[in-house]
Amino acid sequence: MATAAPPLLSDLAGLLLRRPPSLQELVARLGCAEDYAWFTALVRLLFPDEAEAALATSDVGKKLENFARLFQERHFPLYAPFIEFFADEGEDPPFTWLRRGIPFQLMGFGYDGLHEMWDGYREGLSALALLAEPPDAYYDEPGGLRTAWLECAAQRILQKTLERIPKGGIPTEDLTEAVKETEYQAAAQAAAWVRSETGNFFLDHNYEDGDYDGFSDPWEEEIIAEGTTEWRKADQLINAVCGLADWLEEDLPARFAELLDFILPRLPQHDQQQEENNDDDQ
């Protein structure tokens, strides 16, 4: 009959299989001991049930990835390039940087993002941006942002369809009223997103423009809670816009024309234009 192993030896096999800390982790622990202790305390405070498993790996980058995953699941996403850099390429431990503040994942459109709309973003979202008035700071006739958008769109949407869009785009308040409480409501949400006018922290800020570097807010419970609430609103808007983008991309030329068929008659400028056309005919 087999005899059970003595209690003190029962976990020996598991202990022997544990790998020693990596050189990167030793640097993190010894060279930045205070920052490392702060990080592990933060993980244990925020995720008491999952902390030990998240910190068990000897790879510093993996610890950071585990923390970022848990944080996104419970609260909101952290700035992806920051996580990827320290996970794959960073020579210094990331904990000192994390102590500077929360690296928010900002989703707003900056100067470069807007100018690369058709190259850097999905076609459905780029098509919805055509409906919006570009931000004043980026509108420079005759070779401005809107001209570039229309030139790119002409490779995918019929020119006669594009010519139906009001010159300069549709004012956000008019577009919002035209699609209010309809299946196309996300068209106005997309316009507000592109113009950084959603009123949402995540959607109206970006890392390209301004002085905000994403590390100004400390890891405090109240700030995390507020960020979580804001992100849930942002996530709902993003999902709505992406849903409409999905529908457009099923047949972009036809679906975009269908969208205009719905919106244009509901714009206040439409009635005025119809009256002017009637006067010209007479």
Side-chain angles (χ1 to χ4, degrees), residues 231-277:
W231 173 249
R232 288 172 180 168
K233 296 176 183 177
D235 193 44
Q236 290 178 351
L237 187 147
I238 292 171
N239 288 336
V241 171
C242 288
L244 185 56
D246 289 339
W247 176 78
L248 284 171
E249 289 169 1
E250 291 177 4
D251 186 352
L252 188 59
R255 293 284 173 84
F256 189 73
E258 183 178 338
L259 182 63
L260 290 178
D261 288 341
F262 181 87
I263 292 175
L264 294 181
R266 291 167 171 77
L267 297 177
Q269 297 94 330
H270 178 79
D271 295 334
Q272 181 179 353
Q273 186 64 46
Q274 287 292 98
E275 292 177 4
E276 292 175 356
N277 290 339

Side-chain angles (χ1 to χ4, degrees), residues 3 10-11 23-25 33 36 39 43 48 60 85 116 120 123 129 135 148 154 160 165 201 211 216 223 244 254-255:
T3 304
S10 60
D11 295 328
L23 179 60
Q24 188 184 31
E25 183 170 13
Y36 184 81
F39 172 71
V43 178
V60 174
F85 174 79
E116 298 171 1
E123 291 186 350
K160 65 179 183 180
I165 304 173
F201 168 77
D211 298 326
S216 61
I223 294 174
L244 185 56
R255 293 284 173 84

